[in-house]
Amino acid sequence: MPHTPNIIILLLDTARAQSFSGYGYARPTSPHIDALAAESVVYEQAIAPGCWSLPSQVSLLTGMFPAKHGAHELHLSYDHRYPMLPEVLREAGYHTLGISPNSWMSDEFGVTYGFERYLKLVGLTGFEHYYPSRVSGGMRQRAAIARALAIEPELLLMDEPFGALDAQNRRIMQTEVRRIWRETGRTILFVTHSIEEAAAIGTTLVMLSARPSRVRELIVNDDATDRPKLVERLNTMIMEEVERQQGTGPPER
């Protein structure tokens, strides 16, 4: 959305004000939050409408007290009596993303109305509440892609994002990138030193020359392309550039 500010709601469940240095705690427990608070409006008398996660968070997202929205210890789910904040934001033209490790913030308890599909889009369904240390490198990369897609960028830059993955996860993520590109229509600038990866992912390949680097050739890579011949052609060009850099190859075109 042009000229519209992004909105980020960061909720620290069960965090107590007296444990934050910005609220007077003697130890420097929250330097980053303190820095943000120094540039923000700080409410010193904010009281949660409930004593635990579900009623408090539904109140935050609906603007209603637990007795009115109906999610509390006697009714452990939200029945969608009132629109939630993500729905209101979507109606205003925003794209919405929700990420939470809290098991109460899930479809099971009816508190995800209005959130869009990015976690599902990048293959994280079923792992929404896992900590990063409990998931694979491939899933951490999926989460990184989800964060990048959440702001609806016109251009997504990926600079060798799968270099640290094993062969199986690398192949899976290459397929994911192609699928995300097809489903979102986003322009993705993908940097790689792997010829096979470039041929598997790219639709337009930009071959750079050796130093001083410049665009040597633009290659269309569509469904009609013979991939083995393309890989062979790219290998030939790379060897020409290596030999030219070493002073043994043909002069630059």
Short mmCIF file of all heavy atoms in Angstrom, two decimals, residues 61-124:
data_model
loop_
_atom_site.label_atom_id
_atom_site.label_comp_id
_atom_site.label_asym_id
_atom_site.label_seq_id
_atom_site.Cartn_x
_atom_site.Cartn_y
_atom_site.Cartn_z
N LEU A 61 -7.25 -8.01 20.26
CA LEU A 61 -7.56 -8.05 18.83
C LEU A 61 -9.00 -7.67 18.49
O LEU A 61 -9.32 -7.47 17.32
CB LEU A 61 -7.25 -9.45 18.28
CG LEU A 61 -5.77 -9.87 18.34
CD1 LEU A 61 -5.61 -11.31 17.86
CD2 LEU A 61 -4.91 -8.94 17.50
N THR A 62 -9.87 -7.59 19.48
CA THR A 62 -11.27 -7.22 19.23
C THR A 62 -11.67 -5.90 19.87
O THR A 62 -12.66 -5.28 19.46
CB THR A 62 -12.24 -8.30 19.74
OG1 THR A 62 -12.09 -8.41 21.16
CG2 THR A 62 -11.97 -9.64 19.07
N GLY A 63 -10.94 -5.47 20.90
CA GLY A 63 -11.33 -4.28 21.63
C GLY A 63 -12.48 -4.51 22.59
O GLY A 63 -13.08 -3.56 23.08
N MET A 64 -12.76 -5.78 22.91
CA MET A 64 -13.88 -6.13 23.78
C MET A 64 -13.36 -6.79 25.06
O MET A 64 -12.33 -7.46 25.06
CB MET A 64 -14.84 -7.09 23.07
CG MET A 64 -15.39 -6.58 21.75
SD MET A 64 -16.51 -5.20 21.99
CE MET A 64 -16.91 -4.80 20.27
N PHE A 65 -14.11 -6.64 26.15
CA PHE A 65 -13.80 -7.36 27.38
C PHE A 65 -14.17 -8.84 27.22
O PHE A 65 -15.06 -9.18 26.41
CB PHE A 65 -14.55 -6.76 28.57
CG PHE A 65 -13.97 -5.46 29.04
CD1 PHE A 65 -14.62 -4.26 28.78
CD2 PHE A 65 -12.78 -5.44 29.75
CE1 PHE A 65 -14.08 -3.06 29.22
CE2 PHE A 65 -12.24 -4.24 30.20
CZ PHE A 65 -12.89 -3.04 29.92
N PRO A 66 -13.53 -9.71 27.98
CA PRO A 66 -13.83 -11.15 27.88
C PRO A 66 -15.31 -11.48 28.05
O PRO A 66 -15.83 -12.37 27.37
CB PRO A 66 -12.98 -11.76 28.99
CG PRO A 66 -11.82 -10.85 29.13
CD PRO A 66 -12.38 -9.47 28.89
N ALA A 67 -16.01 -10.77 28.93
CA ALA A 67 -17.42 -11.05 29.13
C ALA A 67 -18.24 -10.80 27.87
O ALA A 67 -19.30 -11.40 27.67
CB ALA A 67 -17.96 -10.19 30.28
N LYS A 68 -17.70 -9.95 26.98
CA LYS A 68 -18.44 -9.64 25.76
C LYS A 68 -17.99 -10.49 24.58
O LYS A 68 -18.81 -10.99 23.81
CB LYS A 68 -18.31 -8.16 25.42
CG LYS A 68 -19.29 -7.69 24.35
CD LYS A 68 -19.36 -6.18 24.28
CE LYS A 68 -20.45 -5.74 23.31
NZ LYS A 68 -20.57 -4.25 23.26
N HIS A 69 -16.67 -10.67 24.43
CA HIS A 69 -16.22 -11.48 23.28
C HIS A 69 -16.36 -12.97 23.53
O HIS A 69 -16.38 -13.77 22.60
CB HIS A 69 -14.80 -11.11 22.85
CG HIS A 69 -13.71 -11.37 23.84
ND1 HIS A 69 -13.43 -12.61 24.38
CD2 HIS A 69 -12.78 -10.53 24.39
CE1 HIS A 69 -12.39 -12.54 25.18
NE2 HIS A 69 -11.99 -11.28 25.23
N GLY A 70 -16.45 -13.41 24.80
CA GLY A 70 -16.83 -14.78 25.11
C GLY A 70 -15.72 -15.80 25.19
O GLY A 70 -15.99 -16.98 25.40
N ALA A 71 -14.47 -15.39 25.02
CA ALA A 71 -13.36 -16.35 25.13
C ALA A 71 -12.74 -16.22 26.51
O ALA A 71 -12.07 -15.24 26.83
CB ALA A 71 -12.31 -16.06 24.05
N HIS A 72 -12.98 -17.21 27.36
CA HIS A 72 -12.49 -17.16 28.74
C HIS A 72 -12.43 -18.59 29.29
O HIS A 72 -12.61 -19.56 28.54
CB HIS A 72 -13.38 -16.27 29.61
CG HIS A 72 -14.85 -16.48 29.42
ND1 HIS A 72 -15.51 -17.63 29.78
CD2 HIS A 72 -15.78 -15.67 28.83
CE1 HIS A 72 -16.79 -17.54 29.48
NE2 HIS A 72 -16.99 -16.36 28.89
N GLU A 73 -12.20 -18.73 30.59
CA GLU A 73 -11.97 -20.05 31.17
C GLU A 73 -13.18 -20.97 31.07
O GLU A 73 -13.04 -22.20 31.15
CB GLU A 73 -11.53 -19.92 32.64
CG GLU A 73 -12.55 -19.27 33.56
CD GLU A 73 -12.45 -17.76 33.54
OE1 GLU A 73 -11.66 -17.23 32.74
OE2 GLU A 73 -13.16 -17.11 34.33
N LEU A 74 -14.37 -20.40 30.88
CA LEU A 74 -15.57 -21.23 30.75
C LEU A 74 -15.91 -21.54 29.30
O LEU A 74 -16.81 -22.34 29.03
CB LEU A 74 -16.76 -20.54 31.44
CG LEU A 74 -16.61 -20.29 32.94
CD1 LEU A 74 -17.84 -19.58 33.48
CD2 LEU A 74 -16.36 -21.59 33.69
N HIS A 75 -15.20 -20.89 28.36
CA HIS A 75 -15.47 -21.11 26.93
C HIS A 75 -14.13 -20.91 26.21
O HIS A 75 -13.77 -19.80 25.85
CB HIS A 75 -16.53 -20.13 26.42
CG HIS A 75 -16.94 -20.39 25.00
ND1 HIS A 75 -17.75 -21.44 24.64
CD2 HIS A 75 -16.64 -19.74 23.85
CE1 HIS A 75 -17.95 -21.42 23.34
NE2 HIS A 75 -17.28 -20.40 22.83
N LEU A 76 -13.41 -22.00 25.99
CA LEU A 76 -12.02 -21.93 25.55
C LEU A 76 -11.86 -21.78 24.05
O LEU A 76 -11.11 -22.51 23.40
CB LEU A 76 -11.27 -23.18 26.04
CG LEU A 76 -11.22 -23.36 27.56
CD1 LEU A 76 -10.47 -24.62 27.92
CD2 LEU A 76 -10.60 -22.14 28.22
N SER A 77 -12.58 -20.83 23.46
CA SER A 77 -12.39 -20.49 22.06
C SER A 77 -13.12 -19.19 21.77
O SER A 77 -14.01 -18.78 22.54
CB SER A 77 -12.89 -21.60 21.13
OG SER A 77 -14.30 -21.73 21.24
N TYR A 78 -12.74 -18.57 20.65
CA TYR A 78 -13.41 -17.34 20.24
C TYR A 78 -14.36 -17.69 19.10
O TYR A 78 -13.96 -18.24 18.08
CB TYR A 78 -12.39 -16.30 19.79
CG TYR A 78 -13.03 -15.03 19.27
CD1 TYR A 78 -13.91 -14.31 20.07
CD2 TYR A 78 -12.77 -14.58 17.98
CE1 TYR A 78 -14.52 -13.15 19.60
CE2 TYR A 78 -13.36 -13.43 17.51
CZ TYR A 78 -14.24 -12.72 18.32
OH TYR A 78 -14.84 -11.58 17.84
N ASP A 79 -15.65 -17.34 19.26
CA ASP A 79 -16.68 -17.71 18.29
C ASP A 79 -16.88 -16.66 17.20
O ASP A 79 -17.87 -16.72 16.49
CB ASP A 79 -18.01 -17.94 19.02
CG ASP A 79 -17.96 -19.17 19.92
OD1 ASP A 79 -17.12 -20.05 19.66
OD2 ASP A 79 -18.73 -19.21 20.89
N HIS A 80 -15.98 -15.73 17.12
CA HIS A 80 -16.02 -14.72 16.05
C HIS A 80 -17.30 -13.88 16.13
O HIS A 80 -17.94 -13.62 15.13
CB HIS A 80 -15.90 -15.38 14.67
CG HIS A 80 -15.42 -14.43 13.61
ND1 HIS A 80 -15.83 -14.50 12.32
CD2 HIS A 80 -14.56 -13.39 13.68
CE1 HIS A 80 -15.24 -13.55 11.62
NE2 HIS A 80 -14.46 -12.86 12.42
N ARG A 81 -17.61 -13.43 17.33
CA ARG A 81 -18.77 -12.57 17.50
C ARG A 81 -18.52 -11.18 16.94
O ARG A 81 -19.46 -10.49 16.51
CB ARG A 81 -19.13 -12.46 18.99
CG ARG A 81 -19.47 -13.78 19.67
CD ARG A 81 -19.77 -13.55 21.15
NE ARG A 81 -20.05 -14.81 21.85
CZ ARG A 81 -20.32 -14.88 23.14
NH1 ARG A 81 -20.37 -13.77 23.87
NH2 ARG A 81 -20.56 -16.05 23.71
N TYR A 82 -17.27 -10.74 16.98
CA TYR A 82 -16.91 -9.40 16.52
C TYR A 82 -15.69 -9.52 15.60
O TYR A 82 -14.89 -10.44 15.73
CB TYR A 82 -16.57 -8.51 17.72
CG TYR A 82 -17.68 -8.44 18.75
CD1 TYR A 82 -17.65 -9.27 19.87
CD2 TYR A 82 -18.75 -7.58 18.58
CE1 TYR A 82 -18.66 -9.23 20.82
CE2 TYR A 82 -19.78 -7.53 19.51
CZ TYR A 82 -19.73 -8.36 20.62
OH TYR A 82 -20.75 -8.32 21.54
N PRO A 83 -15.54 -8.58 14.66
CA PRO A 83 -14.36 -8.63 13.79
C PRO A 83 -13.08 -8.41 14.58
O PRO A 83 -13.05 -7.67 15.57
CB PRO A 83 -14.60 -7.48 12.79
CG PRO A 83 -15.56 -6.57 13.49
CD PRO A 83 -16.42 -7.44 14.35
N MET A 84 -12.03 -9.08 14.13
CA MET A 84 -10.73 -8.95 14.79
C MET A 84 -9.88 -7.95 14.03
O MET A 84 -10.12 -7.65 12.85
CB MET A 84 -10.04 -10.31 14.88
CG MET A 84 -10.86 -11.37 15.60
SD MET A 84 -9.94 -12.89 15.93
CE MET A 84 -9.05 -12.42 17.41
N LEU A 85 -8.88 -7.43 14.70
CA LEU A 85 -8.02 -6.40 14.12
C LEU A 85 -7.44 -6.78 12.75
O LEU A 85 -7.45 -5.95 11.83
CB LEU A 85 -6.90 -6.05 15.10
CG LEU A 85 -5.91 -4.98 14.63
CD1 LEU A 85 -6.62 -3.67 14.33
CD2 LEU A 85 -4.82 -4.78 15.69
N PRO A 86 -6.93 -8.01 12.56
CA PRO A 86 -6.42 -8.35 11.22
C PRO A 86 -7.48 -8.25 10.13
O PRO A 86 -7.16 -7.87 8.99
CB PRO A 86 -5.93 -9.81 11.39
CG PRO A 86 -5.65 -9.94 12.84
CD PRO A 86 -6.69 -9.10 13.52
N GLU A 87 -8.72 -8.57 10.44
CA GLU A 87 -9.80 -8.43 9.46
C GLU A 87 -10.04 -6.97 9.11
O GLU A 87 -10.25 -6.63 7.94
CB GLU A 87 -11.08 -9.05 10.00
CG GLU A 87 -10.99 -10.55 10.26
CD GLU A 87 -12.22 -11.09 10.95
OE1 GLU A 87 -12.32 -10.95 12.18
OE2 GLU A 87 -13.08 -11.65 10.24
N VAL A 88 -10.02 -6.11 10.13
CA VAL A 88 -10.22 -4.68 9.89
C VAL A 88 -9.10 -4.13 9.02
O VAL A 88 -9.32 -3.34 8.09
CB VAL A 88 -10.29 -3.92 11.23
CG1 VAL A 88 -10.37 -2.42 11.01
CG2 VAL A 88 -11.49 -4.40 12.05
N LEU A 89 -7.88 -4.56 9.30
CA LEU A 89 -6.74 -4.10 8.52
C LEU A 89 -6.81 -4.59 7.08
O LEU A 89 -6.48 -3.85 6.14
CB LEU A 89 -5.43 -4.56 9.17
CG LEU A 89 -5.11 -3.91 10.52
CD1 LEU A 89 -3.85 -4.54 11.13
CD2 LEU A 89 -4.92 -2.41 10.38
N ARG A 90 -7.24 -5.81 6.88
CA ARG A 90 -7.37 -6.34 5.52
C ARG A 90 -8.43 -5.57 4.73
O ARG A 90 -8.25 -5.28 3.55
CB ARG A 90 -7.71 -7.84 5.55
CG ARG A 90 -6.53 -8.70 5.94
CD ARG A 90 -6.84 -10.17 5.78
NE ARG A 90 -7.02 -10.54 4.39
CZ ARG A 90 -7.26 -11.79 3.97
NH1 ARG A 90 -7.36 -12.76 4.86
NH2 ARG A 90 -7.41 -12.05 2.70
N GLU A 91 -9.54 -5.23 5.39
CA GLU A 91 -10.57 -4.44 4.72
C GLU A 91 -10.04 -3.06 4.35
O GLU A 91 -10.51 -2.46 3.38
CB GLU A 91 -11.79 -4.31 5.63
CG GLU A 91 -12.58 -5.61 5.79
CD GLU A 91 -13.79 -5.45 6.68
OE1 GLU A 91 -14.00 -4.32 7.18
OE2 GLU A 91 -14.51 -6.44 6.90
N ALA A 92 -9.06 -2.57 5.11
CA ALA A 92 -8.46 -1.27 4.81
C ALA A 92 -7.37 -1.37 3.75
O ALA A 92 -6.77 -0.36 3.38
CB ALA A 92 -7.88 -0.66 6.08
N GLY A 93 -7.12 -2.59 3.26
CA GLY A 93 -6.14 -2.78 2.20
C GLY A 93 -4.80 -3.32 2.63
O GLY A 93 -3.90 -3.47 1.81
N TYR A 94 -4.64 -3.62 3.90
CA TYR A 94 -3.38 -4.17 4.39
C TYR A 94 -3.27 -5.66 4.08
O TYR A 94 -4.28 -6.35 3.92
CB TYR A 94 -3.25 -3.99 5.90
CG TYR A 94 -2.80 -2.62 6.34
CD1 TYR A 94 -3.72 -1.61 6.58
CD2 TYR A 94 -1.45 -2.34 6.51
CE1 TYR A 94 -3.31 -0.35 6.99
CE2 TYR A 94 -1.02 -1.09 6.93
CZ TYR A 94 -1.95 -0.10 7.16
OH TYR A 94 -1.54 1.14 7.56
N HIS A 95 -2.04 -6.15 4.02
CA HIS A 95 -1.76 -7.58 4.02
C HIS A 95 -1.32 -7.95 5.43
O HIS A 95 -0.57 -7.19 6.06
CB HIS A 95 -0.68 -7.93 3.00
CG HIS A 95 -1.09 -7.68 1.59
ND1 HIS A 95 -1.85 -8.57 0.86
CD2 HIS A 95 -0.88 -6.61 0.78
CE1 HIS A 95 -2.08 -8.06 -0.34
NE2 HIS A 95 -1.50 -6.88 -0.40
N THR A 96 -1.78 -9.08 5.92
CA THR A 96 -1.56 -9.40 7.33
C THR A 96 -0.82 -10.71 7.51
O THR A 96 -1.03 -11.67 6.77
CB THR A 96 -2.91 -9.49 8.07
OG1 THR A 96 -3.75 -10.44 7.40
CG2 THR A 96 -3.61 -8.14 8.10
N LEU A 97 0.04 -10.75 8.51
CA LEU A 97 0.82 -11.94 8.84
C LEU A 97 0.84 -12.10 10.34
O LEU A 97 1.08 -11.15 11.08
CB LEU A 97 2.25 -11.80 8.32
CG LEU A 97 3.25 -12.88 8.78
CD1 LEU A 97 2.90 -14.22 8.19
CD2 LEU A 97 4.67 -12.48 8.42
N GLY A 98 0.58 -13.30 10.81
CA GLY A 98 0.66 -13.59 12.24
C GLY A 98 1.63 -14.72 12.50
O GLY A 98 1.56 -15.77 11.87
N ILE A 99 2.58 -14.50 13.41
CA ILE A 99 3.55 -15.53 13.80
C ILE A 99 3.53 -15.62 15.32
O ILE A 99 3.70 -14.60 15.99
CB ILE A 99 4.97 -15.20 13.31
CG1 ILE A 99 4.98 -15.03 11.79
CG2 ILE A 99 5.96 -16.26 13.75
CD1 ILE A 99 6.32 -14.59 11.24
N SER A 100 3.31 -16.79 15.87
CA SER A 100 3.24 -16.92 17.33
C SER A 100 3.68 -18.31 17.77
O SER A 100 3.29 -19.31 17.17
CB SER A 100 1.81 -16.69 17.82
OG SER A 100 1.70 -16.96 19.20
N PRO A 101 4.50 -18.39 18.84
CA PRO A 101 4.84 -19.68 19.43
C PRO A 101 3.85 -20.10 20.51
O PRO A 101 4.02 -21.15 21.14
CB PRO A 101 6.23 -19.41 20.03
CG PRO A 101 6.16 -17.99 20.46
CD PRO A 101 5.29 -17.29 19.43
N ASN A 102 2.83 -19.27 20.74
CA ASN A 102 1.86 -19.54 21.81
C ASN A 102 0.76 -20.45 21.29
O ASN A 102 0.06 -20.11 20.33
CB ASN A 102 1.26 -18.22 22.31
CG ASN A 102 0.43 -18.40 23.56
OD1 ASN A 102 -0.21 -19.41 23.76
ND2 ASN A 102 0.44 -17.38 24.41
N SER A 103 0.59 -21.61 21.90
CA SER A 103 -0.39 -22.58 21.41
C SER A 103 -1.82 -22.06 21.48
O SER A 103 -2.69 -22.55 20.77
CB SER A 103 -0.27 -23.88 22.21
OG SER A 103 -0.49 -23.64 23.59
N TRP A 104 -2.10 -21.08 22.34
CA TRP A 104 -3.45 -20.53 22.41
C TRP A 104 -3.78 -19.67 21.19
O TRP A 104 -4.95 -19.50 20.85
CB TRP A 104 -3.62 -19.68 23.68
CG TRP A 104 -3.68 -20.49 24.93
CD1 TRP A 104 -2.72 -20.64 25.87
CD2 TRP A 104 -4.79 -21.29 25.37
NE1 TRP A 104 -3.13 -21.48 26.87
CE2 TRP A 104 -4.41 -21.89 26.59
CE3 TRP A 104 -6.06 -21.57 24.87
CZ2 TRP A 104 -5.24 -22.74 27.31
CZ3 TRP A 104 -6.90 -22.41 25.59
CH2 TRP A 104 -6.49 -22.98 26.78
N MET A 105 -2.77 -19.13 20.54
CA MET A 105 -2.99 -18.32 19.34
C MET A 105 -2.97 -19.21 18.11
O MET A 105 -2.00 -19.26 17.36
CB MET A 105 -1.93 -17.22 19.25
CG MET A 105 -1.98 -16.21 20.38
SD MET A 105 -3.54 -15.29 20.40
CE MET A 105 -3.33 -14.25 18.96
N SER A 106 -4.03 -19.95 17.90
CA SER A 106 -4.08 -20.90 16.79
C SER A 106 -5.51 -21.04 16.29
O SER A 106 -6.46 -20.55 16.91
CB SER A 106 -3.54 -22.26 17.24
OG SER A 106 -4.39 -22.83 18.23
N ASP A 107 -5.65 -21.73 15.15
CA ASP A 107 -6.98 -21.98 14.59
C ASP A 107 -7.87 -22.75 15.57
O ASP A 107 -9.08 -22.54 15.61
CB ASP A 107 -6.86 -22.79 13.29
CG ASP A 107 -6.27 -21.98 12.16
OD1 ASP A 107 -6.38 -20.75 12.21
OD2 ASP A 107 -5.68 -22.58 11.24
N GLU A 108 -7.25 -23.61 16.35
CA GLU A 108 -8.01 -24.44 17.28
C GLU A 108 -8.86 -23.61 18.23
O GLU A 108 -9.98 -24.00 18.60
CB GLU A 108 -7.06 -25.33 18.07
CG GLU A 108 -7.76 -26.25 19.06
CD GLU A 108 -6.78 -27.09 19.86
OE1 GLU A 108 -5.55 -26.98 19.60
OE2 GLU A 108 -7.24 -27.85 20.74
N PHE A 109 -8.35 -22.42 18.59
CA PHE A 109 -9.06 -21.59 19.57
C PHE A 109 -9.68 -20.35 18.91
O PHE A 109 -10.14 -19.44 19.61
CB PHE A 109 -8.11 -21.18 20.69
CG PHE A 109 -7.55 -22.36 21.42
CD1 PHE A 109 -6.26 -22.80 21.18
CD2 PHE A 109 -8.33 -23.07 22.32
CE1 PHE A 109 -5.74 -23.90 21.83
CE2 PHE A 109 -7.82 -24.19 22.98
CZ PHE A 109 -6.52 -24.61 22.73
N GLY A 110 -9.72 -20.33 17.57
CA GLY A 110 -10.46 -19.32 16.86
C GLY A 110 -9.89 -17.93 16.90
O GLY A 110 -10.65 -16.95 16.80
N VAL A 111 -8.59 -17.79 17.01
CA VAL A 111 -8.01 -16.45 17.15
C VAL A 111 -7.13 -16.05 15.97
O VAL A 111 -6.31 -15.14 16.09
CB VAL A 111 -7.21 -16.35 18.46
CG1 VAL A 111 -8.13 -16.44 19.65
CG2 VAL A 111 -6.13 -17.41 18.53
N THR A 112 -7.30 -16.70 14.82
CA THR A 112 -6.47 -16.36 13.66
C THR A 112 -7.29 -15.76 12.52
O THR A 112 -6.83 -15.72 11.38
CB THR A 112 -5.72 -17.60 13.15
OG1 THR A 112 -6.66 -18.63 12.83
CG2 THR A 112 -4.77 -18.12 14.22
N TYR A 113 -8.50 -15.28 12.80
CA TYR A 113 -9.32 -14.67 11.75
C TYR A 113 -8.60 -13.45 11.18
O TYR A 113 -8.08 -12.62 11.91
CB TYR A 113 -10.67 -14.24 12.31
CG TYR A 113 -11.59 -15.37 12.67
CD1 TYR A 113 -11.76 -15.75 13.99
CD2 TYR A 113 -12.29 -16.05 11.68
CE1 TYR A 113 -12.61 -16.80 14.34
CE2 TYR A 113 -13.14 -17.10 12.01
CZ TYR A 113 -13.30 -17.47 13.33
OH TYR A 113 -14.13 -18.50 13.66
N GLY A 114 -8.60 -13.37 9.85
CA GLY A 114 -8.06 -12.19 9.19
C GLY A 114 -6.60 -12.27 8.81
O GLY A 114 -6.12 -11.44 8.04
N PHE A 115 -5.88 -13.27 9.34
CA PHE A 115 -4.48 -13.39 8.95
C PHE A 115 -4.37 -14.09 7.60
O PHE A 115 -5.09 -15.05 7.32
CB PHE A 115 -3.70 -14.18 10.00
CG PHE A 115 -3.46 -13.41 11.27
CD1 PHE A 115 -4.06 -13.80 12.45
CD2 PHE A 115 -2.63 -12.31 11.26
CE1 PHE A 115 -3.85 -13.09 13.62
CE2 PHE A 115 -2.40 -11.59 12.43
CZ PHE A 115 -3.02 -11.98 13.61
N GLU A 116 -3.46 -13.60 6.78
CA GLU A 116 -3.30 -14.17 5.44
C GLU A 116 -2.46 -15.43 5.46
O GLU A 116 -2.19 -16.01 6.51
CB GLU A 116 -2.71 -13.11 4.51
CG GLU A 116 -3.75 -12.05 4.13
CD GLU A 116 -3.25 -11.11 3.07
OE1 GLU A 116 -3.37 -11.44 1.88
OE2 GLU A 116 -2.73 -10.04 3.43
N ARG A 117 -2.00 -15.86 4.30
CA ARG A 117 -1.56 -17.23 4.08
C ARG A 117 -0.06 -17.46 4.10
O ARG A 117 0.38 -18.54 3.80
CB ARG A 117 -2.05 -17.69 2.71
CG ARG A 117 -1.53 -16.82 1.57
CD ARG A 117 -2.01 -17.31 0.23
NE ARG A 117 -1.47 -16.51 -0.85
CZ ARG A 117 -1.56 -16.81 -2.12
NH1 ARG A 117 -2.19 -17.92 -2.47
NH2 ARG A 117 -1.05 -16.04 -3.04
N TYR A 118 0.74 -16.48 4.48
CA TYR A 118 2.17 -16.63 4.21
C TYR A 118 2.82 -17.81 4.92
O TYR A 118 3.68 -18.46 4.34
CB TYR A 118 2.90 -15.33 4.53
CG TYR A 118 2.58 -14.26 3.51
CD1 TYR A 118 2.01 -13.07 3.90
CD2 TYR A 118 2.81 -14.48 2.16
CE1 TYR A 118 1.69 -12.10 2.97
CE2 TYR A 118 2.48 -13.52 1.23
CZ TYR A 118 1.93 -12.34 1.64
OH TYR A 118 1.61 -11.39 0.70
N LEU A 119 2.45 -18.11 6.14
CA LEU A 119 3.03 -19.29 6.78
C LEU A 119 2.68 -20.55 6.00
O LEU A 119 3.51 -21.42 5.78
CB LEU A 119 2.54 -19.41 8.24
CG LEU A 119 3.16 -18.42 9.23
CD1 LEU A 119 2.55 -18.59 10.61
CD2 LEU A 119 4.67 -18.60 9.31
N LYS A 120 1.45 -20.65 5.55
CA LYS A 120 1.03 -21.81 4.77
C LYS A 120 1.68 -21.80 3.40
O LYS A 120 2.05 -22.83 2.85
CB LYS A 120 -0.49 -21.80 4.64
CG LYS A 120 -1.05 -23.04 3.96
CD LYS A 120 -2.57 -22.96 3.88
CE LYS A 120 -3.19 -22.95 5.25
NZ LYS A 120 -4.66 -22.97 5.21
N LEU A 121 1.84 -20.60 2.85
CA LEU A 121 2.38 -20.47 1.51
C LEU A 121 3.78 -21.06 1.39
O LEU A 121 4.12 -21.69 0.40
CB LEU A 121 2.42 -18.98 1.13
CG LEU A 121 3.06 -18.63 -0.20
CD1 LEU A 121 2.23 -19.17 -1.35
CD2 LEU A 121 3.24 -17.14 -0.34
N VAL A 122 4.60 -20.90 2.42
CA VAL A 122 5.97 -21.38 2.32
C VAL A 122 6.19 -22.70 3.04
O VAL A 122 7.29 -23.05 3.41
CB VAL A 122 6.97 -20.32 2.85
CG1 VAL A 122 6.96 -19.12 1.95
CG2 VAL A 122 6.64 -19.92 4.27
N GLY A 123 5.12 -23.45 3.26
CA GLY A 123 5.26 -24.81 3.76
C GLY A 123 5.53 -24.94 5.23
O GLY A 123 6.21 -25.87 5.66
N LEU A 124 4.99 -24.03 6.05
CA LEU A 124 5.22 -24.08 7.48
C LEU A 124 3.99 -24.56 8.25
O LEU A 124 3.99 -24.54 9.48
CB LEU A 124 5.63 -22.70 8.01
CG LEU A 124 7.00 -22.21 7.53
CD1 LEU A 124 7.22 -20.79 7.97
CD2 LEU A 124 8.10 -23.10 8.07
#
